[in-house]
């Protein structure tokens, strides 16, 4: 049995140990103990926008600490506590920005009062002597009211323009973005995407302006040269190549592709005015032409907005030029090879598969290069989050800084036929690699497809991304065997890709067929019947949009197929009714682009004859039915070796081979005048109301048009537009059957609107209508043109004072002069008779 003395010593020892442990723990628990750690009071808060909202209406909740942090990458860990009307708690944790604030949009399905507060558990922050313990705290409660049958008014927004518009567009007019697309991938690249969303694409051939492309004279040379025109850049000397549209500005090269002098011209698409012209010296001839454009949305804690660039490429160097001024902003060296894809924020991305193993024991990695990461990853200053600060005169090593994804694809044992890179030759980021492979097509953050075509068949490998940027192999197919006839084919290639429809198309030139493969499974889907044999004379263009595959070539036939079944839905044949073309009875067709439910198509040839064939078509078809929307013959002839027509801000920009002019095609402004035959009139008295409706597009102010149309260029109907444009801008014969614009005329006396009627302008833009006012007063006489597919509407007015008609004046009856004359005559006769009697009596 243990003695009391021993028990006492044990108890004393245990108490001592407990006290010691308590003391030690207090050292770590109390930040202001002898370690000389200072404390700081924290100031938590919570706020909502709005304070009262409707059921399921989004509410912005901001919470955090008023205490800010010193580094942009730092933040507090704070908790938002929400107590529902029934008392149920709900916690939302978050890390604040360096400002001390974090925000989220939440909505609530139950009406009632919600109690919100911010809870901070305390944290150490700082280094060295500035390190402090920021004390735990809880904010004051905030009440959020959620009310049934209530909705905090949203901003009403703004309507789309009903008048001619120009850039810049106020950023508050958010709804307008849907018609403000850009064209940032060089159009003459055969693989460039041809689907162009975010446009209200032109529905007539109305021309806004024209200007000489600038490198030489255009059109008919004249005189002893007979009917031969100036050289057009065909063949091999392409013009208008690499043309781009960025935010309403057209960028094109003045000179042919091989010219030692290269001048980039920036033209406002809406006004036709040249913003700047500049020669660049980034290396070779090709390097001094834009290789592409970019509009980057850069969004982080302190710097948010869009940045745009013209990119020039010289070898592995890329130069970013300010589109507004033509000034160099920054550049990248050692840019890896590969096709550029654009991420969700406009960042330029390149993908590749790299094998760090051997053929026998492969070790494949999927890698992604990101142009934005080049700048952010290479910045080590306090302004790391400010894009503009880090892209002013800076040079970045793109290969060293740009790779932001490097994920093992361990299950992959085979990548279809791509070029190999030996380990001995590999440098930079490829150091240690035995092979690399470029993708066939990529949809960033969704999938990358690697593929190869041979006479034996098609191989496809699909790699899928998930939200955490890990990847897995969707399929690795080598089981589709090509038809026997492929062994004798001379040419085949990929014609189009669509990640939205998950289909890629192969075109085989010799047998003029299309073959479709699924991007989701890699399996063969369908093949078409052979198209017209002359399609084998040239490569073809194709585009997938609206669940359909559109394709055309030298046969002069545009085909439309169902993308899932391959069924032919419709065709359009472009007949050459005068057989000017030497390729056959049809015009060689080249698909230009697809936008706003319309397919735009033009004509080109490899090497035009002289004299050049007349009346080449340019037209728009309904993408669903293949019906003509509009067409023009003899304008906008395309350039096979240079650039073709492109679209941005709902305006088509194109070069015309016939006259070496650049044209802008789109809906233009109109202007009206109005007069009356009498400024003051009376009730019941007819007056003539007359005026004009004119086209005031920028091109109508060009000298050549002002000389011919001294009173202005009349606006005409949509159905007359094509022939009218040929007359106005190209000097064709004036059409004799021109139909004008319908005008509505009405009077307004301040209270009542009186319809006067409708009338139609003539080929000189004049219109008139007769009005007989019935009531006195001062009237505004309005003429209104509601607009057409070719013009935005306009209106104007004049004033007329209508007075009461004067009352009729009562006149006294005229004296009976006839009676007086008759009586006088009778009197004279009587006197004569009496005189005669007197004379006879004297005898």
């Amino acid at each position: 049995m243990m003695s009391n003395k021993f028990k006492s010593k044990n108890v004393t020892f245990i108490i001592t140990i407990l006290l010691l442990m308590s003391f030690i723990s207090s050292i770590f628990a109390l930040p202001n103990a002898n370690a000389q750690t200072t404390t700081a009071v924290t100031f938590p808060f919570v706020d909502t926008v709005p304070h009262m909202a409707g059921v399921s209406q989004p509410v912005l909740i901001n919470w955090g600490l008023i205490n800010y942090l010193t580094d942009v990458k730092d933040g507090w860990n704070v908790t938002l506590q929400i107590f529902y009307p029934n008392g149920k708690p709900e916690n939302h944790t978050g890390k604040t920005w360096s400002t001390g604030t974090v925000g989220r949009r939440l909505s609530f399905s139950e009406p009632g009062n919600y109690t919100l507060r911010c809870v901070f558990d305390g944290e150490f922050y700082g280094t060295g002597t500035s390190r402090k313990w920021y004390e735990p705290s809880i904010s004051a409660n905030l009440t959020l009211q959620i009310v049934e049958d209530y909705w905090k008014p949203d901003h009403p927004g703004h309507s789309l323009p009903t008048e001619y518009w120009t850039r810049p567009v106020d950023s508050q007019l958010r709804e307008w973005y849907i018609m403000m697309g850009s064209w940032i991938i060089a159009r003459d690249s055969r693989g460039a995407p041809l689907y162009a969303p975010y446009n209200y694409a032109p529905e007539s051939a109305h021309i806004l302006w024209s200007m000489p492309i600038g490198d030489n004279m255009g059109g008919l040379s004249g005189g002893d040269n007979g009917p031969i025109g100036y050289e057009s850049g065909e063949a091999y000397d392409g013009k208008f190549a690499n043309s781009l549209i960025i935010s309403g500005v057209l960028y094109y090269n003045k000179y042919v592709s091989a010219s030692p002098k290269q001048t980039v011209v920036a033209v406002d698409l809406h006004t036709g005015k040249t913003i700047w012209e500049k020669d660049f010296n980034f290396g070779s001839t090709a390097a001094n032409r834009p290789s592409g454009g970019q509009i980057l949305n850069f969004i982080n804690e302190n710097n948010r907005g869009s940045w745009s660039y013209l990119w020039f490429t010289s070898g592995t160097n890329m130069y970013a030029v300010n589109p507004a001024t033509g000034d160099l902003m920054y550049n990248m060296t050692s840019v890896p090879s590969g096709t550029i894809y654009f991420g969700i924020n406009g960042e330029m991305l390149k993908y590749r598969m790299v094998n760090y193993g051997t053929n026998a024991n492969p070790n494949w990695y999927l890698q992604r290069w990101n142009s934005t990461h080049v700048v952010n990853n290479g910045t080590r200053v306090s302004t790391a989050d400010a894009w503009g600060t880090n892209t002013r005169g800076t040079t970045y090593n793109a290969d060293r800084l740009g790779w932001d994804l490097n994920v093992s694809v361990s299950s992959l044992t085979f990548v279809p036929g791509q070029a190999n890179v030996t380990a001995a030759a590999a440098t930079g980021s490829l150091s240690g690699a035995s092979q690399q492979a470029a993708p066939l097509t990529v949809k960033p953050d969704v999938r990358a497809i690697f593929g190869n075509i041979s006479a034996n068949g098609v191989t496809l490998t699909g790699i899928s991304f998930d939200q955490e940027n890990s990847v897995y192999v969707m399929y690795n197919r080598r089981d589709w065997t090509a038809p026997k006839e492929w062994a004798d084919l001379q040419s085949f290639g990929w014609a189009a890709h669509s990640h939205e429809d998950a289909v890629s198309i192969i075109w085989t030139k010799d047998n003029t067929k299309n073959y479709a493969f699924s991007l989701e499974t890699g399996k063969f889907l369908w093949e078409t019947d052979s198209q017209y044999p002359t399609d084998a004379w040239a490569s073809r263009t194709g585009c997938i949009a609206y669940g359909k595959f559109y394709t055309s070539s030298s046969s002069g036939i545009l085909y439309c197929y169902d993308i899932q079944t391959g069924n032919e839905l419709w065709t359009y044949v472009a007949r050459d009714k005068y057989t000017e073309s030497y390729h056959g009875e049809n015009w060689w067709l080249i698909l230009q682009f697809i936008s706003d439910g319309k397919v735009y198509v033009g004509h080109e040839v490899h090497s035009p004859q002289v004299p050049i064939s007349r009346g080449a078509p340019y037209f728009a078809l309904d993408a669903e039915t293949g019906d003509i929307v509009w067409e023009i013959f003899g304008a906008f002839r395309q350039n096979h070796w240079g650039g073709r027509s492109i679209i941005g801000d709902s305006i088509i920009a194109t070069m015309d081979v016939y006259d070496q002019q650049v044209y802008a095609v789109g809906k233009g402004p109109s202007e009206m005048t109005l007069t009356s035959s009498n400024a003051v009139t009376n009730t019941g008295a007819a007056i003539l109301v007359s005026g004009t409706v004119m086209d005031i597009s920028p091109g109508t102010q060009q000298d050549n048009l002002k000389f011919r149309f001294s009173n202005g260029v009349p606006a005409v109907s949509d159905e007359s537009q094509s022939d009218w444009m040929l007359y106005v801008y190209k000097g064709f014969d004036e059409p004799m059957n021109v139909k004008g614009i319908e005008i509505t005329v009405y009077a307004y006396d301040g209270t009542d609107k009186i319809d006067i009627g409708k009338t139609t302008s003539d080929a000189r833009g004049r219109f008139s209508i007769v009005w007989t006012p019935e009531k006195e007063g001062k009237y505004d006489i309005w003429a209104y043109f509601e607009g057409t597919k070719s013009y935005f509407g306009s209106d104007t007015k004049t004033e007329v004072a209508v007075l009461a008609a004067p009352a009729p004046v009562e006149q006294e009856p005229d004296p009976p002069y006839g009676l007086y004359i008759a009586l006088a005559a009778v009197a004279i006769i009587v006197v004569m008779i009496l005189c005669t009697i007197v004379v006879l009596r004297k005898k």
Side-chain angles (χ1 to χ4, degrees):
M1 186 172 179
M2 190 178 297
S3 67
N4 290 334
K5 183 177 181 181
F6 186 75
K7 286 183 179 179
S8 177
K9 286 183 178 180
N10 281 345
V11 171
T12 303
F13 177 76
I14 292 171
I15 292 173
T16 302
I17 293 297
L18 290 174
L19 289 173
L20 181 60
M21 291 178 64
S22 176
F23 173 74
I24 292 172
S25 65
S26 68
I27 292 176
F28 293 97
L30 298 176
N32 60 344
N34 295 331
Q36 296 183 344
T37 302
T38 58
T39 63
V41 177
T42 55
F43 302 93
F45 75 95
V46 63
D47 193 19
T48 65
V49 181
H51 291 305
M52 184 173 71
V55 173
S56 299
Q57 184 173 21
V59 176
L60 174 61
I61 303 177
N62 295 312
W63 76 97
L65 304 182
I66 299 299
N67 311 68
Y68 64 86
L69 300 100
T70 57
D71 193 296
V72 69
K73 299 182 181 65
D74 294 338
W76 303 116
N77 294 297
V78 289
T79 300
L80 170 67
Q81 289 187 341
I82 302 174
F83 296 92
Y84 279 64
N86 61 7
K88 181 187 75 172
E90 181 177 286
N91 289 344
H92 294 263
T93 59
K95 185 173 182 178
T96 71
W97 289 356
S98 59
T99 56
T101 302
V102 61
R104 289 180 189 169
R105 289 191 182 274
L106 301 175
S107 59
F108 302 89
S109 60
E110 301 174 18
N113 290 339
Y114 290 73
T115 300
L116 284 64
R117 67 183 185 182
C118 172
V119 177
F120 178 59
D121 293 331
E123 289 182 32
F124 280 105
Y125 182 72
T127 58
T129 58
S130 63
R131 183 174 176 80
K132 296 179 182 180
W133 170 256
Y134 286 80
E135 297 178 341
S137 55
I138 299 176
S139 72
N141 291 343
L142 177 76
T143 299
L144 169 65
Q145 291 180 276
I146 301 298
V147 181
E148 200 158 15
D149 298 326
Y150 171 81
W151 195 269
K152 178 75 173 181
D154 296 320
H155 192 287
H158 296 273
S159 58
L160 295 178
T162 57
E163 302 170 340
Y164 192 70
W165 58 279
T166 59
R167 292 273 192 160
V169 172
D170 193 297
S171 58
Q172 297 174 92
L173 306 179
R174 299 177 184 177
E175 294 78 8
W176 290 29
Y177 80 92
I178 61 174
M179 59 181 192
M180 297 171 63
S182 292
W183 193 289
I184 59 176
I185 300 178
R187 172 62 180 86
D188 52 310
S189 300
R190 293 300 184 261
L194 303 182
Y195 176 58
Y198 307 114
N199 290 288
Y200 281 9
E203 296 189 308
S204 83
H206 178 258
I207 294 171
L208 293 172
W209 52 263
S210 67
M211 63 184 293
I213 195 169
D215 69 327
N216 69 348
M217 296 189 179
L220 202 64
S221 55
D224 292 339
N225 300 296
I228 298 177
Y230 278 98
E231 190 272 336
S232 62
E234 311 279 26
Y236 305 109
D237 254 354
K239 296 185 178 182
F240 204 61
N242 295 57
S243 299
L244 305 168
I245 296 173
I246 299 178
S247 297
V249 179
L250 167 68
Y251 301 90
Y252 75 90
N253 278 79
K254 181 182 289 189
Y255 300 103
V256 296
S257 301
S259 172
K261 180 179 176 65
Q262 293 293 317
T263 302
V264 178
V265 184
V267 184
D268 187 312
L269 262 184
H270 298 268
T271 66
K273 293 182 178 179
T274 298
I275 300 172
W276 54 262
E277 286 190 24
K278 194 165 186 176
D279 299 340
F280 293 94
N281 186 24
F282 294 130
S284 64
T285 295
N288 296 325
R289 307 172 69 87
S291 56
Q294 181 188 19
I295 301 178
L296 170 69
N297 291 333
F298 187 77
I299 301 172
N300 69 0
E301 289 86 348
N302 294 317
N303 192 217
R304 308 175 188 93
S306 298
W307 301 79
S308 58
Y309 299 101
L310 284 174
W311 283 100
F312 294 75
T313 302
S314 178
T316 61
N317 299 319
M318 292 185 69
Y319 301 88
V321 168
N322 185 339
T325 63
D327 297 330
L328 177 64
M329 300 305 295
Y330 76 104
N331 69 290
M332 298 183 290
T333 63
S334 302
V335 178
S337 61
T339 300
I340 291 175
Y341 300 90
F342 290 95
I344 191 172
N345 289 311
E347 64 272 29
M348 296 187 296
L349 305 173
K350 294 186 178 186
Y351 294 80
R352 70 187 182 191
M353 292 291 295
V354 176
N355 184 6
Y356 290 104
T358 64
N359 284 335
N361 295 294
N363 183 19
W364 287 101
Y365 278 75
L366 179 68
Q367 298 177 343
R368 180 180 65 200
W369 176 86
N370 185 330
S371 63
T372 301
H373 197 63
V374 171
V375 175
N376 280 4
N377 190 45
T379 301
R380 294 291 182 268
V381 295
S382 60
T383 55
D385 61 332
W387 180 262
T389 302
N390 296 299
T391 53
R392 295 185 184 129
T394 308
T395 298
Y396 293 99
N397 185 311
D399 186 51
R400 181 172 61 85
L401 301 170
W403 297 99
D404 70 340
L405 181 67
N406 184 30
V407 183
S408 173
V409 191
S410 57
S411 61
L412 188 64
T413 59
F414 171 80
V415 171
Q418 302 289 342
N420 290 338
V421 176
T422 63
T427 59
S429 63
L430 283 173
S431 180
S434 61
Q435 294 173 299
Q436 71 165 336
L440 171 67
T441 179
V442 175
K443 183 174 183 180
D445 299 324
V446 177
R447 66 172 75 93
I449 308 298
F450 296 79
N452 187 51
I453 313 172
S454 72
N456 298 320
V458 176
T459 57
L460 286 171
T461 298
I463 307 294
S464 178
F465 306 99
D466 64 20
Q467 293 182 347
E468 285 73 34
N469 280 330
S470 60
V471 300
Y472 67 91
V473 178
M474 301 163 59
Y475 51 84
N476 194 13
R477 307 196 72 89
R478 290 183 283 174
D479 55 359
W480 188 77
T481 303
K484 291 182 179 180
E485 61 185 353
W486 276 37
D488 299 317
L489 297 181
Q490 294 179 306
S491 178
F492 42 71
W494 297 99
H497 309 285
S498 171
H499 286 273
E500 287 67 28
D501 295 289
V503 175
S504 283
I505 307 292
I506 292 174
W507 162 250
T508 53
K509 184 176 177 181
D510 304 72
N511 63 356
T512 64
K513 286 187 176 183
N514 300 284
Y515 299 81
F517 292 82
S518 168
L519 298 183
E520 292 179 337
T521 66
K523 292 183 178 180
F524 168 74
L525 295 176
W526 48 260
E527 70 178 88
T528 63
D529 294 332
S530 292
Q531 296 178 179
Y532 200 76
T534 55
D535 272 342
W537 290 352
S539 59
R540 60 193 299 103
T541 55
C543 181
I544 301 172
Y546 314 126
K548 301 173 181 62
F549 173 53
Y550 306 88
T551 182
S552 66
S553 189
S554 47
S555 70
I557 303 172
L558 177 70
Y559 294 85
C560 175
Y561 299 100
D562 184 290
I563 193 60
Q564 298 301 332
T565 66
N567 293 335
E568 183 181 293
L569 300 177
W570 52 262
T571 60
Y572 180 85
V573 181
R575 297 290 186 195
D576 176 7
K577 63 181 179 180
Y578 299 115
T579 59
E580 288 271 312
S581 171
Y582 64 90
H583 287 96
E585 292 190 347
N586 300 338
W587 291 102
W588 183 337
L589 295 181
I590 187 71
L591 183 62
Q592 301 296 295
F593 55 84
I594 298 175
S595 186
D596 190 27
K598 295 176 282 289
V599 182
Y600 291 81
V601 188
H603 165 72
E604 69 175 29
V605 295
H606 181 284
S607 304
Q609 291 179 318
V610 289
I612 196 168
S613 54
R614 295 164 290 189
Y618 189 99
F619 54 90
L621 301 177
D622 185 298
E624 186 67 27
T625 65
D627 296 334
I628 278 284
V629 177
W630 61 269
E631 59 188 347
I632 189 169
F633 297 96
F636 320 143
R637 180 170 173 147
Q638 297 300 299
N639 188 316
H640 180 81
W641 292 99
R644 300 165 188 155
S645 62
I646 57 179
I647 187 171
D649 269 17
S650 304
I651 297 172
I652 297 173
T654 183
M655 172 195 158
D656 191 341
V657 166
Y658 284 124
D659 56 8
Q660 307 295 297
Q661 300 282 305
V662 176
Y663 287 91
V665 180
K667 194 170 184 176
S670 64
E671 184 178 66
M672 302 183 71
T673 64
L674 190 67
T675 59
S676 65
S677 57
N678 296 93
V680 180
T681 188
N682 300 116
T683 55
I687 61 172
L688 183 68
V689 178
S690 59
T692 60
V693 56
M694 311 301 282
D695 181 348
I696 58 167
S697 299
T700 64
Q701 302 305 307
Q702 297 168 191
D703 287 344
N704 58 334
L705 268 64
K706 289 173 70 174
F707 293 147
R708 291 174 53 213
F709 300 91
S710 57
N711 294 321
V713 176
V716 301
S717 65
D718 292 331
E719 60 194 83
S720 300
Q721 198 65 222
S722 293
D723 289 342
W724 187 249
M725 290 294 100
L726 292 171
Y727 164 60
V728 171
Y729 282 91
K730 287 179 162 287
F732 280 33
D733 295 341
E734 181 179 3
M736 293 294 101
N737 57 346
V738 174
K739 182 180 178 182
I741 298 295
E742 185 177 78
I743 306 298
T744 300
V745 184
Y746 65 90
Y748 183 67
D749 64 0
T751 302
D752 298 320
K753 176 182 175 182
I754 303 167
D755 291 327
I756 295 176
K758 296 181 182 295
T759 184
T760 302
S761 62
D762 60 20
R764 295 296 176 265
R766 302 189 188 98
F767 64 88
S768 61
I769 192 169
V770 175
W771 180 47
T772 303
E774 298 177 353
K775 186 173 68 171
E776 65 270 18
K778 179 182 176 297
Y779 290 87
D780 291 333
I781 310 297
W782 284 92
Y784 173 69
F785 164 45
E786 70 175 353
T788 60
K789 296 176 180 178
S790 304
Y791 307 99
F792 287 94
S794 56
D795 55 41
T796 188
K797 72 170 185 173
T798 188
E799 294 82 23
V800 172
V802 179
L803 306 179
V809 179
E810 293 187 7
Q811 297 181 349
E812 295 184 2
D814 293 334
Y817 296 112
L819 177 61
Y820 295 160
I821 293 171
L823 292 175
V826 171
I828 291 171
I829 293 172
V830 170
V831 170
M832 291 178 64
I833 292 173
L834 292 176
C835 289
T836 302
I837 293 173
V838 171
V839 172
L840 291 176
R841 285 182 176 178
K842 286 183 178 182
K843 292 182 177 181

